[in-house]
Amino acid sequence: MNTARQVLTCSKLAYHSANVTCRRRFCTSQHIMTSRHTHAKRIDGLDKNVWVAFTSLAADPTVVNLGQGFPDIPPPSYVKEALARAASEDRMNQYTRGFGHPPLVKALSQVYGKVYGRHIDPLKEILVTVGGYGSLFSTMQGLVEEGDEVIIIEPFFDCYVPMVRMAGAKPVLIPLHLKSGKKTPTSADWFLDPEELSSKFNSKTKAIIINTPNNPIGKVFSRDELQMIADLCIKHDTLCFSDEVYEWLIYRGHQHIKIATLPGMWDRTITISSAGKTFSVTGWKLGWSIGPEHLMKHLQTVMQNTMYTCPTPLQEAVAQGLLHNVDLMGQPECYFSSLAEELEGKRDRMAAILREAGMTPVIPEGGYFMLVDVTSLNQDLSHIVEDEAYDYKFVKWMIKEKKLAAIPVTAFVGEESKKYFEKYIRLCFIKKDSTLDAAETILKNWRKI
């Protein structure tokens, strides 16, 4: 019995000793984690993201999702078939050229040679990346220096500011202003103030980012507006990063003009586009940058030391899709123009539904998003205690109570401009008729639910 007690006592002491040791080790480890292994300064304050927050809220299958900008209409069949053929070829399942699959950069050169009206060197003036995001990242990392300033037009796609900050530069924001007194506003009613824009340029200005057609407004910058920006870029020897991922989605009565085609701008412009937006294949995550060799070589340096290359079968399929359309450009059968015609009907339908529900849509000139002013609904959200802008509260309330998802527009502006945009939400209309039918049912019954 005494032996048994001694064994039990020893066991308890051993357990206590081990437990104390583990706790000490855990505390020591925890201390190390909190004191040394914190985040890098370059990402300080960048952890919050509108897509993470609202995509999870819209994941409920009973919610009609007009928030995140992905099509639920099918891509062209010939693009999907080209991918299947590519994946079935063994050699297409291996690495390809890091700066872009040769058939793809050659196809891009053919397409954009027509658009730019100049020869584009497929090997030196084009870089294929992981989506438009990859092109933006390579541009910022390759050309923006610590201490630089980069002008960004509000509202802007939300990754611009974080990417500028991660490069060590300062984002300088300038808002688009809305002309007053319009009963049926369009994206053309949003404008840049020339004097205000001019005041943003100085000796530290490295670049200006433009987005045409703009996400979220859908504004297509006119030739005069682009010339104003170009004149300032030339005057101050500033670069231009032109995000044109929605370049083909231009509606009747409007024209997309590439700022790089204006006099003096080719040598200072990086233009960014995307296969996801061109062929409605956002999940493929393929994008590209086009620009002069003396700038593009720095983007290539970033690419070769980060992402290195993009999936070969996807690049081959996009190449085949471009070649399918290159000889059809300017004709009704070309997918680049036929998709815009299809979406124009969806845009007009969405606008009519929203007006009937008592909201005020801003009719976009391009892209597949629509800004919606919800002021007239007078929705009381005082019971929501979170310290957030009105549009954030409104969208969360709408997802929960109406089962309709959107994106709050203050996610696309800086702190000082939130008061001008917090009564707007963004809806996506590149959706199947059945999806729009479901949204229409919700909006028609807005007051009844």
Side-chain angles (χ1 to χ4, degrees):
M1 182 65 70
N2 290 336
T3 302
R5 284 177 180 171
Q6 287 176 349
V7 170
L8 182 59
T9 302
C10 288
S11 298
K12 287 180 178 179
L13 287 170
Y15 173 78
H16 177 73
S17 176
N19 196 29
V20 169
T21 302
C22 287
R23 285 203 305 271
R24 284 175 178 167
R25 284 177 180 168
F26 176 76
C27 290
T28 303
S29 174
Q30 190 178 45
H31 175 71
I32 292 173
M33 290 293 288
T34 54
S35 64
R36 288 186 56 226
H37 300 290
T38 184
H39 63 270
K41 289 182 179 179
R42 74 178 69 91
I43 64 167
D44 188 36
L46 305 182
D47 52 320
K48 291 184 179 179
N49 183 278
V50 66
W51 311 112
V52 173
F54 284 91
T55 300
S56 60
L57 289 175
D60 181 345
T62 65
V63 172
V64 178
N65 189 357
L66 301 185
Q68 194 174 4
F70 61 86
D72 67 0
I73 62 174
S77 58
Y78 53 82
V79 174
K80 294 186 289 183
E81 291 162 5
L83 177 59
R85 288 194 302 272
S88 68
E89 293 186 38
D90 289 344
R91 65 185 180 88
M92 289 292 174
N93 291 289
Q94 307 307 324
Y95 292 133
T96 187
R97 175 176 173 269
F99 302 144
H101 187 48
L104 176 54
V105 293
K106 290 176 183 176
L108 288 166
S109 176
Q110 290 184 51
V111 169
Y112 287 104
K114 288 188 172 187
V115 176
Y116 283 85
R118 66 180 295 150
H119 171 70
I120 296 177
D121 189 315
L123 302 180
K124 297 178 180 179
E125 297 179 330
I126 299 174
L127 173 67
V128 177
T129 60
V130 181
Y133 262 81
S135 288
L136 286 163
F137 180 79
S138 298
T139 300
M140 302 299 174
Q141 291 296 314
L143 296 172
V144 176
E145 197 71 75
E146 188 171 344
D148 285 343
E149 293 185 359
V150 177
I151 299 170
I152 302 174
I153 300 168
E154 300 174 295
F156 50 79
F157 189 55
D158 70 303
C159 73
Y160 297 166
V161 166
M163 286 192 184
V164 168
R165 288 180 55 188
M166 281 192 286
K170 175 185 176 182
V172 177
L173 307 182
I174 177 171
L176 288 167
H177 299 282
L178 177 62
K179 297 176 185 175
S180 58
K182 293 292 291 288
K183 290 185 179 179
T184 55
T186 74
S187 58
D189 296 321
W190 297 79
F191 67 96
L192 281 171
D193 180 275
E195 291 186 7
E196 186 180 14
L197 178 62
S198 180
S199 72
K200 301 295 182 180
F201 284 78
N202 59 54
S203 60
K204 293 184 179 179
T205 306
K206 184 61 171 283
I208 181 172
I209 302 175
I210 65 173
N211 179 206
T212 179
N214 173 273
N215 173 13
I217 289 180
K219 177 181 176 61
V220 176
F221 283 80
S222 69
R223 182 177 294 275
D224 288 344
E225 289 171 317
L226 293 174
Q227 189 63 62
M228 173 179 65
I229 295 169
D231 290 343
L232 288 167
C233 287
I234 294 168
K235 177 181 178 180
H236 295 274
D237 191 19
T238 297
L239 299 176
C240 179
F241 306 150
S242 188
D243 181 352
E244 301 180 16
V245 295
Y246 302 101
E247 61 185 320
W248 305 111
L249 302 178
I250 308 296
Y251 302 122
R252 279 179 294 184
H254 306 285
Q255 180 186 10
H256 177 68
I257 298 168
K258 290 184 172 292
I259 194 169
T261 63
L262 299 185
M265 289 304 291
W266 166 259
D267 287 334
R268 63 178 69 250
T269 302
I270 298 293
T271 305
I272 293 155
S273 197
S274 157
K277 306 303 188 294
T278 300
F279 288 118
S280 303
V281 287
T282 59
W284 291 17
K285 289 299 293 180
L286 275 182
W288 46 83
S289 303
I290 296 176
E293 180 186 0
H294 69 273
L295 297 180
M296 292 300 299
K297 65 182 182 181
H298 303 305
L299 278 65
Q300 291 176 339
T301 298
V302 175
M303 181 70 182
Q304 74 187 21
N305 290 293
T306 52
M307 296 164 278
Y308 176 60
T309 192
C310 298
T312 307
L314 295 177
Q315 293 191 71
E316 176 68 19
V318 172
Q320 296 304 314
L322 293 169
L323 293 174
H324 181 92
N325 285 278
V326 67
D327 292 330
L328 298 174
M329 290 173 68
Q331 301 178 36
E333 311 91 84
C334 181
Y335 186 75
F336 304 156
S337 53
S338 65
L339 178 59
E341 290 182 12
E342 178 185 352
L343 290 182
E344 188 164 346
K346 295 178 183 292
R347 178 199 69 172
D348 295 344
R349 179 188 177 190
M350 176 66 70
I353 295 168
L354 291 163
R355 289 192 193 100
E356 189 176 341
M359 305 181 199
T360 304
V362 177
I363 309 302
E365 303 158 275
Y368 49 59
F369 299 111
M370 184 176 291
L371 229 60
V372 184
D373 186 347
V374 299
T375 303
S376 59
L377 296 177
N378 292 316
Q379 185 64 47
D380 181 13
L381 300 176
S382 58
H383 60 285
I384 301 177
V385 297
E386 284 87 349
D387 184 21
E388 294 178 318
Y390 181 88
D391 58 340
Y392 268 72
K393 295 178 181 180
F394 182 89
V395 171
K396 288 179 179 180
W397 170 85
M398 185 170 70
I399 292 172
K400 180 181 179 181
E401 300 296 332
K402 304 295 184 182
K403 299 297 183 182
L404 181 64
I407 294 294
V409 175
T410 59
F412 304 100
V413 301
E415 197 64 37
E416 291 184 11
S417 294
K418 284 186 177 181
K419 57 183 177 290
Y420 302 117
F421 289 94
E422 68 173 354
K423 291 298 179 71
Y424 290 94
I425 61 173
R426 191 198 77 172
L427 297 176
C428 176
F429 56 84
I430 186 168
K431 302 294 181 181
K432 294 183 294 189
D433 287 342
S434 58
T435 304
L436 296 180
D437 290 343
E440 182 176 15
T441 298
I442 293 170
L443 291 165
K444 281 188 171 181
N445 293 283
W446 187 270
R447 300 295 184 186
K448 300 177 185 177
I449 300 176

